[in-house]
Structures are given as structure tokens and as C-alpha cells.
Amino acid sequence: MIDIPELALVALVGISGSGKSTFARAHFAPTQVLSSDFFRGLIADDENDQSASADAFDALHYVAGKRLAAGRLTVVDATNLQPHGRAALVKLAREHDVLPVAVVLDVPESVAWERTQARPDRLFDRRVLTRMHGDLRRSLRSLSREGFRKVHVLRGVEEIEAAEIRYEKLFNDRRDETGPFDIIGDVHGCRQELETLLQRLGYHLVRDEAARPVGGTHPEGRKAVFVGDLVDRGPDSPGVLRLVMGMVAAGTAICVPGNHEQKLARKLNGRNVQLTHGLPETLAQLEAEPPSFTEEVRVFIEGLVSHYVLDEGRLVVAHAGLKEAYQGRTSGRVRSFALYGETTGETDEYGLPVRYPWARDYRGPAAVVYGHTPTPKPEWINNTICLDTGCVFGGSLTALRWPSRELVSVPAAREYYEPVRPLAEPARVDEGLDLADVVGRKHLDYGYGRTTVAAENAAAALEVMSRFALDPATLVWLPPTMAPCSHPTAPPTALDQTKGSPFLDGFLEHPASAFADLRHAGIDRVVCEEKHMGSRAVVRVSRDGTGDAIWTRTGRPFFGPALDQPLLARVRKAASSLFADLDTDWLLLDTELLPWSAKAGGLIRDQYASVGAAGRSALPAALGVLDRAAARGLDVAALRDRIELRSSEIDSYSAAYRAYVKPTDGLAGVTLAPFAVLAGAGVSYADRDHGWHLTLADRLVTTDPGLFTPTRRMVVELADPASEAAATDWWLALTAAGGEGMVVKPYAGLAVTNDKGRLVQPGVKCRGREYLRIIYGPEYTRPEQLERLRNRRLGRKRSLALLEHGLGLAALDRLAEGAPTWRVHELVFAILAAESEPVDPRL
């Protein structure tokens, strides 16, 4: 059995004819194997052209580096008999912090020569093979010294053919452990505070016959995770070790080493270390313990792993933190960073090393929890948090509950050790965007799915964001696009059939199809909300007015400060009771600003009114000419009928857009129609049902009916034909009175998934017959036009709506968890980038 780490650089070592390529094909995927022969062929069109070897290996090493950087097992199929060639592979493995592994295929020279003679492409004499065999014998004595962490030697054909590969997880890979966890900061010998914290977290302590804590369990199965620095400076390092070691041995805790444990282990191993920074106190305390306990401590520390990747890769724990490139890797460099962090090479005024603020540049998806650098209070910085709150210096001992991210602290009983340097506040980070976060082609895994933002789409979004949009710290969400319902192809059985089977004739969108679409998605209860014909407006208001803003679908300020601020002041005042009831300092509202003409006046004049004016001017004149022609006996009846129909259609078209034009003067005549409360401080309300959202919207309407417009709605049970019929009648009356139509949404809320766990459409729009005349033109209701429009391709629009919806939900989730600005804004940016996709804007 050959044990190989799941992530490693594997070098096959053997003479020509030893069966390396056959072995590689039998045990590894083709994509995992990089063959020197293949790369020679790429370079020289001849796999045996030895003059191309240098370039071939240069290309092979480049590809191997790319694979290792991506975290993929890589196998190099070459003779690898020369020390300089193997040294290059060991160097490559170290550069990417993976383990180099050698698998040696040692076959008799006679067998290799027989195989070589059977290959017509191998044109060399036996002396070459004899020289290779000598190189192999010398290689066997030096592979371990050269840096290969594992060396497997397979001797003879039978042993090679019988070999099996078994993959080992790296010691730091505990992704399968999903918690929940309680991650505890630097203890530094403060046993009393550790006991208090564990009990506050709900752990039951286990004590020995001397009443000393030697373990702990949690009734809910939670597991403690210690970030290291258990010892030094505090009053009872042995007591802390005894408790932590017991919990680790019982499987109720995980521990990574700190630099203080590392130094203690070196001292216990007889190494010469400086007796500073609390180590003398620990050694004195250990002298009072039995020698067997000290030996247990030494073995325990030496068995600790530099860092752990937990919870399916969502959590990384290391004493001093860990850059993304080092997570899940193993090397001396990784261990050093995990223990000590990274320094600038400078010292501060206290003579201590200046640490490089790696968290400022962190962009990894995993949360990194660490200690090492004492701080008065923990603070999330770019998805990283330091839990060392200086307990031994008189501060507190802090734990992070995962995945809830709740912080729990207990104060120190007293100052046990005077700090050399005063505890400093966490390094403040400018959370504005870095251009590198958004430019170019980007791949996003946002929790609800994965997507790729094309470079050209990112460029289009950057143009809008950089020139017109709000500050990224304010712009935390953008509304997703919304797809229309399918075309109604058959009369709904639930409708009043006295209206005749052609009931759906003349309709491009109809409630029957909207209900069918959501029923097909597995939804059994929906809410039909009146679709307001206005301009989408996202509103953020706070108790004290800090950060208040109103923005458009593309993230731009709505009117400008002169009108936005008075409008926001009224919303803020109306929302005062919601702040109290929801226990939040701010709210994010999804609304529609009415009338349409308040924001879209230029669009109406240029795109719609000009068409109506031209038609109303030209067509009556044309009818007059035709009437005079008919009076002279010319046969123009058919032409006149067509022109009269067009004139009637133009009148209907003009009436359709005029219904949404209302006089406004500044904010006079402007109203807001709220329909969702998206988020508050530390919480996303996406999981609340639409009844909850609309009830809060109604409270705003009641508080200030002059500013807020109600959203009329009906709840429909899709298994009840009568319920569908009532909603259809309501929609017909609504649209007949000039309403735009309705949006049909899953009643359960914004983040509804189907039985496969995938998001369903947040809503489908069902627009009225006359409203669609604005979108598709005056003549769209003619049978031949409807037939053409019924072939609208909705798939792309629906995919785009789901993508933008998922990105928006993820942005709200990150906002609620307190993620840094760049993590929220990369999703908002992706929504805007998706808007530049070429999709029919009429849908």
C-alpha cells in the first residue's frame, strides 16, 4: 500500500522501461500526470528529441506549478534519476507549500532492456540503460536527504503490479468537522478565567480526584477550538494544559500551537532558548508537577498541527492567522506564518517586531480566526478576527461561537503580567474597494451558486460605478431583474368558462400562466402584489440619519441632495416605530417611487410621447385625404380601414403611457410604495414571508399616507381553482382601471428554494394588456403580432433574474454578518455587471 497525501507533488523515479507510464495510467487520472515525453513532443514534435528536454521541463514545471497553486495533486512522469532534476521538483513543491513524494520503480535491468528493445521509438544501446541503473542505485540512498517527505520503493515487477494507492488527508484538513465550535483566544496560563468561560459557554467540566479540571463536554455536542498560547505569563499554565489536553484527548476540543508552546517544547527537548516572555514562570510551575506530566506536555505540543481548515473550508484557525495561499498547505514556511505571523523586519519603540498587517489584504472566502497579537476588543477585518484580548494583561478571555459569530468574553480576575507594549486597537482598514477586486474576469462562489463575471461586463459596471454610483460603503444591494410569466397557451379551467374558450386570445401575459410557472417550481402558496408603474428605489434610513440614501436600480443617487434629503427625512420619521420594534438602528427598504414621470420624464417625452404625437398628427390627416379620395370614387376602403385601425391603436398607446404621467413639483406629488424590508443592523429579513414585509409596509402607509402608497395584494392557494379565479378577476379589474399588472411571488419569502435546494424565481411579473402596448408598440395586439411575440425567449431572462437574485441575497447575508465592504460590494458589482448582458429589454 502506497500512502500519498491528497495534495502532493509525486515524482516517479525509474530507468527507461521500468513501467513508469504504465504505472501512472493505472493509478492516476490522465490530467494528473505530466509526462516529460509528452512535453518534449509539444516542443519538438518528437517525444525522443533530447535536445528539447530543457524547454520541455521548463514547460512541465510551469504547468505543474499552476496545478499545485490550484491545490491539485500532480504526478511527474520522467526518469528523475539526476539530483538536479529532482531538486527542481522539490523546490517547486516547497514554492507551493506541498509535500514532495517519490515513488521509485526498481526493476531488474534485464527486464527494462527487454521492454526497451520492444519499443521501436527507443533507439539507444544497453550501456545507456546500465548507466541509468547506476544512477538509480545512487538515488535510492539520497532521496530522503534531498527533501522528499515520503519515499516509496517498489522492487520488482510483481510488487509494482500489486501496488495500491491510498490517499491521505493532510493533518490540517478537517473540513468534515462542521462544528458548532467555540474558538477560544490566548489563555496564557489563566486557568480560572478559562474555567469560567467554558462554563459560560455551556461546557460541563470534568475533574479528577484532586478537583482539578481535566476535561469538558458540551450537552449540545459543541467543540472547543484553542488558538494556542496556552502557557506562559499566567498563574497556572499546567492547569490550563491539563484541561486542554484532556479535552483534546476526549475529542471535545481541537488545539493549534502558539509560539509560546513552540518555545516551551524546544526547551523541554533540551534546546538552548532565551528564558523570556513568561517562560521562566511556566518552567517553575512545571517543576511542581510529576516528570511524567511534563513529558505528556512535550509530546502533546509536538503533536500539534500548525493550523486547521474546518467546516467544509469555511473556517481556518491558526495562532497568528494565515494567508489564503497557505491555507490547507504544509511546509516550514506555512508553519512559521501560522505561529509567528509575518514581520516587516522593523522594531517598534518597545523593541518588539512590527508585524505586517496581512489581514488588510486578505480576500479569502474562509473566515480566519487567530490570536497572538493582544487587542482590547475583537473586530472583524476582511473576514478575519483576532481573539487575543489580553486576559493575562488584565483584559479578558474571549471566545467566538461558530457559525453564529457571537462573541463571549469573561474579564480577567486581575493583571497577571505587565505588557511590554500597551494593548492596541485593531488595525483599522480602509474598506474602500481595491480596483483589483472588480476588474477583469472574476469567478464568484456566493453561497447560492457560482458565476463568472466577464471582463467586458465588469468594464461596463465599472463605468457606472466609478462615474455615477453611490459610495460602495452605502451601496449594499441592488434589485434583481424580473422575468415575465410564460405565454398563456390554453384557457385556465378555473376561470369562468362563460367568457368563452378564446378567453386568453389577445393576451401576451396572463395570471393563469404566472400561477402555472410557480406551481411547476413546487410553490403552493403565492402572493399577488400590485405592480406599481414607477421607478425602483432602494432606501436606507437610520435612527440618526447617518448613511441615509436612496438609489436607483443602477446604484445612482435618485434625484440629488436637494430632493433626496427631505424625502429621506420623511421616511426616517415614518420608520421610527419600526426601528424600535425591530431593535435596529437602520433599515433597508425595497420600494417603487411614483409617478413614473417623476424620474422618467425625459424617457417618456423622447421615446413614447414623440411616437404618440407623430401618430396623432399624421394619421387623422391621412384619413382626411382618404375620405376625399373616396368621395371622388376611388376604391380606398381597405386602406382607410387599416389607417383607421392604426389611428385607434395610437390613441390606445397614448392613453396607456399618459396613465402614468402625473404632475409633480419637487417632492409634491411624489410617493413611495414600499413592499419589502430587506435588512437591518446585523440581520437579513430575506427569510420572512411576504405577509410580514407587507404588514410593515402598511405601517409606513398608515404613519404617513401623504408620502407612502399602499401595495394592494391577494394571497392565492395554487391548489384551489376558486382562489386562482378570484385573483384573475382582481387582475382584470386592476389592469382595466389602468394598472400595470401584478407580480406573483412565493408567499414564504425572498429566499425560497425548490425540492432540489435551488432558488426559485423571486417573482414573475404579469402585466396588463394595455400596459404592454407601451412596451411592444401600438399594434402589438394584432393576431399576427401576438403570434410572433409568443415566441419570446424567456430562458435567458429567467436565468439572469435568478443570478441577480442570488447575488442580492448573498449580499444581504454578508451585510448581516458584518463582512467588510469589499465582500458585500463585489456581489453588488456583479449584479450591475450582469445587467449589461444582452437580453431583450422589453421582457
Side-chain angles (χ1 to χ4, degrees):
M1 185 66 70
I2 300 176
D3 293 326
I4 294 178
E6 289 181 342
L7 176 56
L9 177 60
V10 180
L12 301 183
V13 182
I15 66 176
S16 180
S18 60
K20 298 182 300 301
S21 297
T22 301
F23 182 86
R25 285 193 297 271
H27 296 287
F28 302 102
T31 53
Q32 294 175 320
V33 180
L34 305 181
S35 165
S36 59
D37 288 347
F38 175 76
F39 278 89
R40 265 190 293 268
L42 286 180
I43 300 298
D45 292 329
D46 182 356
E47 292 186 352
N48 296 304
D49 186 350
Q50 297 299 315
S51 67
S53 290
D55 288 339
F57 276 101
D58 186 45
L60 185 153
H61 291 164
Y62 178 81
V63 174
K66 291 296 185 182
R67 286 186 57 84
L68 295 175
R72 305 191 189 285
L73 177 76
T74 301
V75 181
V76 177
D77 176 13
T79 59
N80 291 316
L81 294 173
Q82 300 302 318
H84 70 272
R86 296 193 299 268
L89 294 180
V90 171
K91 180 175 181 288
L92 186 64
R94 287 175 175 168
E95 287 174 351
H96 293 89
D97 305 292
V98 302
L99 297 178
V101 176
V103 177
V104 182
L105 277 61
D106 185 8
V107 301
E109 182 184 328
S110 59
V111 173
W113 177 241
E114 181 180 346
R115 292 173 175 174
T116 300
Q117 286 181 307
R119 294 184 58 179
D121 60 335
R122 290 292 188 260
L123 302 176
F124 53 80
D125 63 31
R126 179 131 185 198
R127 287 175 298 178
V128 174
L129 208 61
T130 301
R131 186 169 62 250
M132 285 185 177
H133 199 263
D135 291 338
L136 178 65
R137 301 262 72 81
R138 286 185 291 274
S139 299
L140 289 174
R141 297 191 293 268
S142 62
L143 287 172
S144 295
R145 293 196 305 272
E146 291 173 3
F148 286 96
R149 296 289 294 274
K150 286 178 176 287
V151 177
H152 300 284
V153 181
L154 301 175
R155 290 184 168 86
V157 174
E158 290 185 2
E159 191 170 330
I160 292 171
E161 291 178 347
E164 295 182 19
I165 301 290
R166 180 172 60 191
Y167 291 105
E168 298 177 323
K169 294 182 65 173
L170 296 175
F171 292 142
N172 55 41
D173 183 359
R174 299 179 77 160
R175 289 176 172 85
D176 55 330
E177 292 202 40
T178 56
F181 301 113
D182 297 302
I183 310 165
I184 298 173
D186 302 36
V187 183
H188 278 301
C190 299
R191 178 189 54 78
Q192 177 183 337
E193 288 81 358
L194 177 57
E195 288 189 42
T196 302
L197 179 60
L198 285 170
Q199 289 171 332
R200 181 168 297 180
L201 291 168
Y203 288 81
H204 300 317
L205 297 182
V206 178
R207 299 183 183 272
D208 63 11
E209 63 279 359
R212 299 175 302 187
V214 293
T217 61
H218 198 286
E220 298 175 4
R222 300 181 69 88
K223 183 173 286 190
V225 182
F226 295 92
V227 303
D229 276 5
L230 305 172
V231 303
D232 293 350
R233 297 177 175 147
D236 192 2
S237 290
V240 172
L241 286 166
R242 186 177 289 108
L243 173 54
V244 174
M245 288 163 55
M247 293 181 70
V248 171
T252 60
I254 300 171
C255 185
V256 297
N259 58 299
H260 283 262
E261 281 80 52
Q262 179 77 358
K263 190 175 181 181
L264 173 60
R266 293 177 64 212
K267 178 62 179 176
L268 295 178
N269 281 318
R271 304 287 294 276
N272 184 23
V273 300
Q274 292 184 345
L275 300 180
T276 56
H277 303 303
L279 180 57
E281 288 83 352
T282 299
L283 294 173
Q285 292 163 12
L286 285 173
E287 288 179 1
E289 300 289 336
S292 60
F293 177 77
T294 302
E295 176 62 14
E296 288 176 18
V297 169
R298 186 189 68 80
V299 172
F300 171 73
I301 294 174
E302 290 195 336
L304 296 177
V305 178
S306 67
H307 72 282
Y308 285 114
V309 180
L310 302 161
D311 194 15
E312 299 180 349
R314 287 186 283 263
L315 174 65
V316 171
V317 178
H319 175 63
L322 206 62
K323 297 191 292 188
E324 182 182 9
Y326 291 169
Q327 294 168 12
R329 305 299 177 110
T330 178
S331 68
R333 177 170 62 174
V334 171
R335 185 173 180 84
S336 177
F337 193 104
L339 285 170
Y340 306 104
E342 192 172 30
T343 62
T344 65
E346 303 169 303
T347 57
D348 61 17
E349 64 269 32
Y350 304 100
L352 298 176
V354 176
R355 305 192 188 283
Y356 182 78
W358 63 274
R360 178 193 307 160
D361 302 322
Y362 184 70
R363 291 295 187 269
V368 180
V369 184
Y370 63 104
H372 191 52
T373 305
T375 181
K377 63 178 181 178
E379 182 175 331
W380 284 100
I381 296 174
N382 286 340
N383 211 22
T384 76
I385 189 169
C386 176
L387 295 183
D388 183 359
T389 46
C391 184
V392 76
F393 301 127
S396 61
L397 185 62
T398 298
L400 172 74
R401 288 182 172 271
W402 181 270
S404 66
R405 300 195 179 212
E406 175 191 358
L407 290 166
V408 180
S409 296
V410 297
R414 62 182 179 87
E415 181 186 281
Y416 299 102
Y417 200 92
E418 183 178 356
V420 175
R421 176 173 53 199
L423 271 63
E425 292 287 340
R428 300 292 173 181
V429 177
D430 178 10
E431 293 186 342
L433 284 179
D434 188 312
L435 187 63
D437 291 331
V438 295
V439 296
R441 184 179 175 89
K442 295 291 181 183
H443 302 280
L444 291 178
D445 185 342
Y446 52 94
Y448 297 90
R450 295 185 178 91
T451 190
T452 298
V453 180
E456 56 271 25
N457 293 357
L462 186 62
E463 172 75 7
V464 175
M465 288 288 185
S466 59
R467 295 184 60 189
F468 308 112
L470 294 170
D471 186 316
T474 301
L475 194 61
V476 294
W477 185 80
L478 286 177
T481 190
M482 188 175 298
C485 61
S486 302
H487 170 65
T489 56
T493 58
L495 297 182
D496 182 359
Q497 294 302 305
T498 60
K499 297 175 181 176
S501 58
F503 179 77
L504 296 184
D505 285 355
F507 287 98
L508 189 60
E509 298 175 13
H510 193 277
S513 294
F515 298 148
D517 287 343
L518 288 168
R519 189 184 299 109
H520 180 72
I523 305 301
D524 54 13
R525 194 181 197 204
V526 299
V527 59
C528 302
E529 296 181 7
E530 172 186 10
K531 191 173 190 307
H532 300 283
M533 182 52 178
S535 303
R536 195 73 168 265
V538 184
V539 181
R540 184 197 187 277
V541 287
S542 60
R543 291 179 189 261
D544 60 5
T546 303
D548 287 4
I550 178 171
W551 61 89
T552 68
R553 287 196 74 250
T554 55
R556 309 180 192 212
F558 215 86
F559 293 118
L563 294 181
D564 286 356
Q565 292 308 313
L567 178 62
L568 290 166
R570 287 187 65 179
V571 177
R572 182 166 59 248
K573 182 178 179 181
S576 59
S577 66
L578 299 187
F579 294 138
D581 291 352
L582 298 176
D583 191 23
T584 181
D585 292 328
W586 58 268
L587 288 170
L588 187 67
L589 309 176
D590 196 4
T591 75
E592 193 86 1
L593 187 138
L594 307 171
W596 183 34
S597 54
K599 183 66 177 173
L603 175 69
I604 295 169
R605 284 191 299 272
D606 297 340
Q607 186 165 321
Y608 302 111
S610 57
V611 173
R616 293 193 305 274
S617 174
L619 294 176
L623 286 173
V625 171
L626 291 171
D627 286 341
R628 290 192 293 275
R632 294 171 57 188
L634 297 177
D635 184 10
V636 293
L639 176 60
R640 190 188 188 287
D641 289 344
R642 291 199 300 273
I643 296 298
E644 187 173 33
L645 175 60
R646 294 191 66 189
S647 180
S648 173
E649 291 168 337
I650 279 289
D651 289 341
S652 297
Y653 174 81
S654 298
Y657 72 75
R658 283 173 172 170
Y660 308 112
V661 176
K662 309 287 187 205
T664 59
D665 182 9
L667 293 179
V670 171
T671 65
L672 282 173
F675 46 85
V677 181
L678 298 167
V683 61
S684 165
Y685 299 123
D687 60 342
R688 309 297 177 91
D689 65 47
H690 283 287
W692 182 87
H693 288 281
L694 291 168
T695 297
L696 295 186
D698 289 344
R699 287 177 56 180
L700 294 174
V701 174
T702 301
T703 302
D704 189 347
L707 174 61
F708 293 103
T709 293
T711 296
R712 292 173 285 180
R713 66 269 194 179
M714 285 189 70
V715 176
V716 179
E717 306 293 341
L718 295 184
D720 181 3
S723 183
E724 288 190 32
T728 301
D729 289 340
W730 176 72
W731 177 82
L732 289 170
L734 184 70
T735 55
E740 178 185 349
M742 68 182 181
V743 180
V744 184
K745 303 177 180 179
Y747 184 84
L750 301 176
V752 177
T753 57
N754 60 21
D755 55 2
K756 295 181 180 179
R758 297 174 182 169
L759 285 174
V760 303
Q761 294 286 339
V764 293
K765 53 189 178 184
C766 182
R767 296 166 291 185
R769 189 171 185 269
E770 288 307 308
Y771 170 79
L772 287 173
R773 201 180 294 277
I774 304 174
I775 304 301
Y776 288 106
E779 303 168 356
Y780 99 100
T781 52
R782 295 183 187 181
E784 66 275 13
Q785 295 284 8
L786 280 174
E787 189 62 32
R788 178 179 59 83
L789 291 173
R790 283 165 185 162
N791 294 320
R792 297 182 300 173
R793 296 174 182 244
L794 300 178
R796 191 171 181 85
K797 180 73 169 182
R798 288 173 173 171
S799 297
L800 188 63
L802 278 177
L803 168 63
E804 294 183 5
H805 177 51
L807 289 167
L809 289 175
L812 295 177
D813 291 343
R814 292 185 183 180
L815 182 67
E817 71 184 30
T821 298
W822 70 268
R823 277 183 55 78
V824 177
H825 195 66
E826 71 174 356
L827 302 175
V828 177
F829 187 92
I831 296 172
L832 189 57
E835 283 293 303
S836 61
E837 280 291 304
V839 177
D840 186 347
R842 301 172 299 176
L843 293 177

